[in-house]
Amino acid sequence: MFKRAIQLTLIKYNNVAALLRMHEEYTIMVYNREVLTTDISSSILTLTEHAKMEPVMQLLSSTQLETITVPNRLDASSSREWSSWFQRTFEAYVAHILGYYKTILSHATICERVMEELRVQSLAVQVALTNLDAHSRSVLETFEKFNAFATKEFNKQARLLQSFPRDIEALRQIRVHPTLLPPESAERYISDFIPTDKLVRWAEGCKEIHEGLLRDGKDLSRAVREVQEGTMAIRNNSGINLDQLEDAMAEIVQTVDQQSQIRDRIVR
């Protein structure tokens, strides 16, 4: 048995026409270099979910939240004690604010990762919608050609079935010429030589088949119409407002920048 080896070859666009004229059988796969690359490690890392705990928030005690009245006159010992208390309280506030800042950064990172996933998903949806539109358009174009031919044939068959009783009646009225009959034969008609009963039954069967084909044609028309309506519904309802999400992501980045400035001032 002769076996052919399958060879994968990178074909340039200019050589595709020459390849198609050859008497060989090929499967041509077209790739978009802007979407598909050989290095997908960055995309995989971007879309990989990593379990991570939320940053620990430093809670303030009730005493740290109370309003404290500092005496007007303090001795050296009391001044050092109050200074230490103020320092501890301020450090607690700083830790509390830094905890919020870390949480903001964590949420912003999640938003950026989700946004990257949405960008990829939006691109995939657009590719799928483009393919769906192409298939739907191909189905419609093929159906329109078929429907035009089928309608013409249905009309012709309907006219033949409608005229069949008149044709049978005409056969019963057309006399056979005497020279075509045996001598001293009685008057004969063409219907005497044709099994009209079988023809009538055959016509009734053809009529049933014709009506069945008409029903099938209506079902096919309805199916194609549903495909078109479904395609339009998917097209209208599957869009992702990526611009609005990009604006929201820009606001998140701006908020992170503002909080970073506040954090830098506190640390200084």
Side-chain angles (χ1 to χ4, degrees), residues 2 6 9 67 92 97 107 110 127 131 137 157 165 173 175-176 179 181 185-186 190 196 209 227 240 254:
F2 178 72
I6 300 176
T9 307
T67 302
I97 293 174
H107 289 181
I110 294 174
V127 172
N131 291 335
R137 185 169 56 253
Q157 294 171 7
Q173 296 178 3
R175 296 177 182 178
V176 178
T179 58
L181 299 174
S185 176
I190 293 181
T196 55
I209 295 174
V227 169
I240 300 176
Q254 183 179 2

Coordinates of all heavy atoms in Angstrom, one line a residue, residues 2 6 9 67 92 97 107 110 127 131 137 157 165 173 175-176 179 181 185-186 190 196 209 227 240 254:
F2 N 0.5 2.2 -0.8 CA 1.3 3.4 -1.0 C 0.9 4.4 0.1 O -0.3 4.7 0.2 CB 1.2 4.0 -2.4 CG 2.0 5.3 -2.6 CD1 3.3 5.2 -2.7 CD2 1.3 6.5 -2.7 CE1 4.0 6.4 -2.9 CE2 2.0 7.6 -2.8 CZ 3.3 7.6 -3.0
I6 N 2.8 13.3 5.3 CA 2.2 14.7 5.4 C 3.3 15.7 5.7 O 4.0 15.6 6.7 CB 1.1 14.7 6.4 CG1 0.0 13.7 6.1 CG2 0.5 16.1 6.6 CD1 -1.1 13.6 7.2
T9 N 4.2 22.8 5.4 CA 5.1 23.8 4.7 C 4.5 25.2 4.9 O 3.3 25.4 4.9 CB 5.1 23.5 3.2 OG1 5.5 22.2 3.0 CG2 6.1 24.4 2.5
T67 N -10.8 61.1 71.2 CA -10.2 62.4 71.2 C -9.5 62.7 72.6 O -10.1 62.5 73.6 CB -11.3 63.5 71.0 OG1 -12.0 63.3 69.8 CG2 -10.7 64.9 71.0
A92 N 0.4 53.8 64.1 CA -0.7 52.9 63.9 C -1.6 53.4 62.8 O -2.1 52.6 62.0 CB -1.6 52.9 65.2
I97 N -3.3 53.1 57.1 CA -3.4 53.6 55.8 C -2.6 52.8 54.8 O -3.1 52.5 53.6 CB -2.8 55.1 55.8 CG1 -3.8 56.0 56.6 CG2 -2.7 55.6 54.3 CD1 -3.3 57.4 56.8
H107 N -6.5 45.0 44.6 CA -7.7 45.1 43.8 C -7.4 45.7 42.4 O -8.0 45.2 41.4 CB -8.8 46.0 44.5 CG -9.3 45.3 45.7 ND1 -10.3 45.9 46.4 CD2 -9.1 44.1 46.3 CE1 -10.6 45.1 47.4 NE2 -9.9 44.1 47.4
I110 N -6.0 42.9 40.3 CA -7.1 42.0 39.9 C -7.8 42.6 38.7 O -8.1 41.9 37.7 CB -8.0 41.7 41.1 CG1 -7.3 40.9 42.1 CG2 -9.2 40.9 40.6 CD1 -8.1 40.6 43.4
V127 N -14.0 37.5 16.6 CA -13.6 36.5 15.6 C -14.8 35.5 15.4 O -15.1 35.1 14.3 CB -12.4 35.7 16.0 CG1 -12.1 34.5 15.1 CG2 -11.2 36.7 16.0
N131 N -17.0 34.8 12.0 CA -17.2 33.5 11.4 C -18.7 33.2 11.3 O -19.2 32.6 10.3 CB -16.6 32.4 12.2 CG -15.0 32.5 12.1 OD1 -14.5 33.0 11.1 ND2 -14.4 32.0 13.1
R137 N -24.3 34.2 6.1 CA -24.4 34.8 4.8 C -24.3 33.7 3.7 O -25.0 33.7 2.7 CB -23.3 35.8 4.6 CG -23.4 36.6 3.3 CD -22.5 37.8 3.3 NE -21.1 37.4 3.6 CZ -20.5 37.7 4.7 NH1 -21.1 38.3 5.7 NH2 -19.2 37.3 4.9
Q157 N -44.7 22.0 -11.4 CA -45.4 20.8 -11.0 C -46.8 21.0 -10.6 O -47.7 20.2 -10.9 CB -44.6 20.2 -9.8 CG -43.2 19.7 -10.1 CD -42.4 19.3 -8.9 OE1 -42.9 19.3 -7.8 NE2 -41.2 18.9 -9.1
P165 N -56.3 16.4 -14.7 CA -57.7 15.9 -15.0 C -58.1 16.3 -16.4 O -58.8 15.4 -17.1 CB -58.5 16.6 -13.9 CG -57.6 16.8 -12.8 CD -56.3 17.2 -13.5
Q173 N -61.5 11.5 -25.0 CA -62.3 12.1 -26.1 C -61.6 12.0 -27.5 O -62.2 12.3 -28.5 CB -62.7 13.6 -25.8 CG -63.6 13.8 -24.6 CD -63.8 15.2 -24.3 OE1 -63.4 16.1 -25.0 NE2 -64.6 15.5 -23.2
R175 N -60.4 10.1 -30.5 CA -60.7 8.9 -31.2 C -59.5 8.4 -31.9 O -58.7 9.1 -32.4 CB -61.8 9.0 -32.2 CG -63.2 9.4 -31.6 CD -64.2 9.6 -32.7 NE -65.5 10.0 -32.1 CZ -66.6 10.2 -32.8 NH1 -66.5 10.1 -34.1 NH2 -67.7 10.6 -32.2
V176 N -59.4 7.1 -31.9 CA -58.3 6.4 -32.7 C -58.7 6.3 -34.1 O -59.8 5.9 -34.4 CB -57.9 5.1 -32.1 CG1 -56.8 4.4 -32.9 CG2 -57.5 5.2 -30.6
T179 N -58.0 3.5 -39.5 CA -56.9 2.7 -40.2 C -56.0 2.1 -39.2 O -55.2 1.2 -39.6 CB -56.2 3.6 -41.1 OG1 -55.6 4.7 -40.3 CG2 -57.1 4.2 -42.2
L181 N -57.0 0.6 -36.5 CA -57.7 -0.5 -35.8 C -57.9 -1.7 -36.7 O -57.9 -1.6 -37.9 CB -59.0 0.1 -35.3 CG -59.0 1.3 -34.3 CD1 -60.4 1.8 -34.1 CD2 -58.3 0.9 -33.0
S185 N -63.6 -3.2 -36.4 CA -63.4 -3.0 -34.9 C -64.3 -1.8 -34.5 O -64.6 -0.9 -35.3 CB -62.0 -2.6 -34.6 OG -61.9 -2.3 -33.2
A186 N -64.8 -1.9 -33.3 CA -65.7 -0.8 -32.8 C -64.8 0.5 -32.6 O -63.6 0.5 -32.6 CB -66.3 -1.2 -31.5
I190 N -58.2 6.8 -27.3 CA -56.9 6.6 -26.8 C -56.9 6.1 -25.3 O -56.0 5.3 -24.9 CB -56.1 8.0 -26.9 CG1 -55.8 8.3 -28.4 CG2 -54.7 7.9 -26.2 CD1 -55.0 9.6 -28.6
T196 N -55.7 4.5 -17.5 CA -56.0 5.8 -16.9 C -56.1 5.7 -15.3 O -55.8 6.6 -14.6 CB -57.2 6.4 -17.5 OG1 -58.3 5.4 -17.4 CG2 -57.0 6.7 -18.9
I209 N -46.8 13.9 -2.7 CA -45.4 14.2 -2.6 C -45.1 15.7 -2.8 O -44.3 16.3 -2.1 CB -44.6 13.4 -3.6 CG1 -44.7 11.9 -3.3 CG2 -43.1 13.8 -3.7 CD1 -44.1 11.0 -4.4
V227 N -32.2 31.3 11.5 CA -30.8 31.4 11.5 C -30.4 32.9 11.4 O -29.5 33.4 12.1 CB -30.1 30.6 10.4 CG1 -28.6 30.9 10.2 CG2 -30.3 29.1 10.7
I240 N -19.3 43.6 23.7 CA -18.7 44.0 25.0 C -18.3 45.5 24.8 O -17.6 45.9 23.9 CB -17.5 43.2 25.3 CG1 -17.9 41.7 25.5 CG2 -16.8 43.7 26.6 CD1 -16.7 40.8 25.7
Q254 N -5.8 55.9 37.8 CA -5.6 57.3 38.3 C -5.8 57.3 39.8 O -5.0 58.0 40.5 CB -6.7 58.2 37.6 CG -6.5 59.7 38.1 CD -7.6 60.5 37.4 OE1 -8.4 60.1 36.6 NE2 -7.5 61.8 37.7

